[in-house]
Amino acid sequence: MPLVTTTEMFKKAYEGGYAIGAFNVNNMEIIQGITDACAENNSPVILQVSKGARAYANHTYLMKLVEAATVNYPDLPIALHLDHGPDFETCKACIDGGFTSVMIDGSSLPFEENIELSRKVVEYAHAHGVVVEAELGTLAGIEDDVVVEAGDASYTKPEEVEEFVTRTGCDSLAIAIGTSHGAYKFKPGTNPQLRFDVLEEVSRRLPGFPIVLHGASSVPQEFVEKINQFGGAMSGAIGVPEDQLRQAAQSAVCKINIDSDIRLAITASVREYLAEHPDHFDPRQYLKPARQAVKDMVTHKLVNVLGSNDRI
Ligand code: G3H
Ligand code: 13P
Ligand code: ZN
């Protein structure tokens, strides 16, 4: 089937008490690993592309690779989404260029400016059959080239969400409840706790409306340990506990973003492979297990965290 929007996916996810995984893609092996897992587990999926991914791989290459996945898996619902669209022009380029969903990230702007920018994107997107995710509240961590220190992050204010959604006309809303971008989310030894009270108040004010969680990688310690065992130096890499993500997936949260866990799975696999085969130099030899590592990690998320398996 052709690429789909997230409308139907989110409606079913909301009603079914599960979430759709939104996985960042940057190359062929990542797209194959994710879609192999989703097809095998009958899970709809969102493949998302950041500004950095478009700069790295080029819009057309990513578009054609994702189209190849739709041909390879004709029964798999796939939405292609712009992650953290920084401005109207980037959103427009993705809408014109075949994406079915875009995010406009005005979360660092003052409230009125965020509304104005998001509304402008919504108007253009809806006129072209594309859906829009907007954001209220700021996450800590790194996204593209923007670093937000933990102290500068702020939880979404529930009293602002109705006005924001009504005035922008956005189709889903990313909120800040304590998740964070990157592999170094929390201080080692602390007990990360998402603000479910904020999530509950937001969903009470927006009944039936799809909520999005960014910064939701759990940073599996087996990957960090393997990276360190085979020559890496990652200390204090801590993610969001998966039981809290599972709880979020059963609520109004319909989309959960995962990127860092993909990177960790690949890096752990490649480091291990090359350490154990120092004479190998064919990229296919080490990218094959790396692609399988992405597939295994995504399978785990679909079945044990998101609950989106067997939903097609
Ligand atoms: O939230 C940001 C995503 O992890 C994308 O990361 O900008 O390095 O592609 P990137
Ligand atoms: P992670 O860094 O936790 O994987 O978050 C990814 C994300 O939110 C992409 O928008
Ligand atoms: Zn994000």
Side-chain angles (χ1 to χ4, degrees):
M1 70 177 84
L3 291 169
V4 300
T5 73
T6 54
T7 308
E8 179 84 0
M9 285 184 191
F10 286 169
K11 187 170 182 292
K12 287 186 181 165
Y14 198 102
E15 287 164 3
Y18 61 94
I20 308 293
F23 300 98
N24 286 68
V25 299
N26 289 279
N27 65 17
M28 182 187 77
E29 286 78 8
I30 294 175
I31 293 171
Q32 289 176 330
I34 296 165
T35 53
D36 287 354
C38 293
E40 205 168 288
N41 291 281
N42 296 308
S43 170
V45 67
I46 299 166
L47 300 179
Q48 56 185 14
V49 167
S50 69
K51 174 185 154 194
R54 289 177 84 239
Y56 171 75
N58 165 307
H59 180 98
T60 308
Y61 275 94
L62 291 171
M63 191 70 220
K64 295 297 170 192
L65 286 168
V66 171
E67 276 173 14
T70 67
V71 173
N72 203 30
Y73 293 120
D75 299 327
L76 180 65
I78 303 176
L80 179 57
H81 173 78
L82 169 65
D83 188 30
H84 293 286
D87 48 42
F88 176 80
E89 289 68 31
T90 308
C91 292
K92 182 178 181 300
C94 289
I95 293 163
D96 295 345
F99 283 39
T100 54
S101 173
V102 294
M103 174 191 191
I104 176 66
D105 185 353
S107 60
S108 61
L109 298 173
F111 187 66
E112 280 299 324
E113 287 175 40
N114 188 357
I115 289 184
E116 200 179 315
L117 175 61
S118 302
R119 190 168 42 88
K120 186 175 173 194
V121 172
V122 168
E123 275 168 15
Y124 189 80
H126 285 184
H128 293 80
V130 169
V131 291
V132 179
E133 172 187 329
E135 178 167 352
L136 255 188
T138 20
L139 272 69
I142 305 169
E143 56 194 52
D144 270 323
D145 37 14
V146 182
V147 181
V148 180
E149 298 299 338
D152 295 331
S154 62
Y155 297 115
T156 302
K157 297 186 181 79
E159 62 276 17
E160 290 183 345
V161 298
E162 291 136 300
E163 182 183 353
F164 185 83
V165 166
T166 309
R167 288 180 58 200
T168 60
C170 66
D171 303 279
S172 60
L173 182 68
I175 62 168
I177 59 166
T179 58
S180 168
H181 286 111
Y184 299 88
K185 300 187 191 303
F186 306 108
K187 292 243 169 340
T190 57
N191 199 7
Q193 182 58 56
L194 299 185
R195 290 287 304 272
F196 283 99
D197 57 324
V198 174
L199 172 59
E200 268 165 39
E201 185 54 19
V202 167
S203 40
R204 192 187 68 74
R205 287 167 179 266
L206 297 173
F209 194 79
I211 301 301
V212 178
L213 282 193
H214 282 248
S217 278
S218 60
V219 189
Q221 291 303 295
E222 73 207 67
F223 296 151
V224 178
E225 280 158 21
K226 200 177 268 186
I227 287 169
N228 289 336
Q229 182 188 345
F230 293 107
M234 294 188 70
S235 77
I238 311 284
V240 182
E242 286 191 337
D243 58 332
Q244 294 186 38
L245 295 168
R246 203 173 302 123
Q247 186 182 338
Q250 288 160 5
S251 73
V253 171
C254 294
K255 173 175 181 271
I256 292 190
N257 287 8
I258 296 171
D259 185 7
S260 298
D261 287 352
I262 296 173
R263 300 176 183 198
L264 291 164
I266 292 172
T267 303
S269 171
V270 170
R271 279 194 179 278
E272 179 181 33
Y273 185 91
L274 290 176
E276 289 179 349
H277 305 86
D279 56 326
H280 286 192
F281 63 95
D282 180 343
R284 293 173 299 187
Q285 291 172 317
Y286 54 84
L287 291 179
K288 194 173 172 187
R291 178 173 58 191
Q292 182 66 39
V294 171
K295 181 181 176 187
D296 293 345
M297 185 279 291
V298 170
T299 298
H300 164 72
K301 299 286 181 185
L302 302 177
V303 175
N304 299 313
V305 179
L306 303 161
S308 63
N309 56 308
D310 299 327
R311 305 288 185 174
I312 298 174

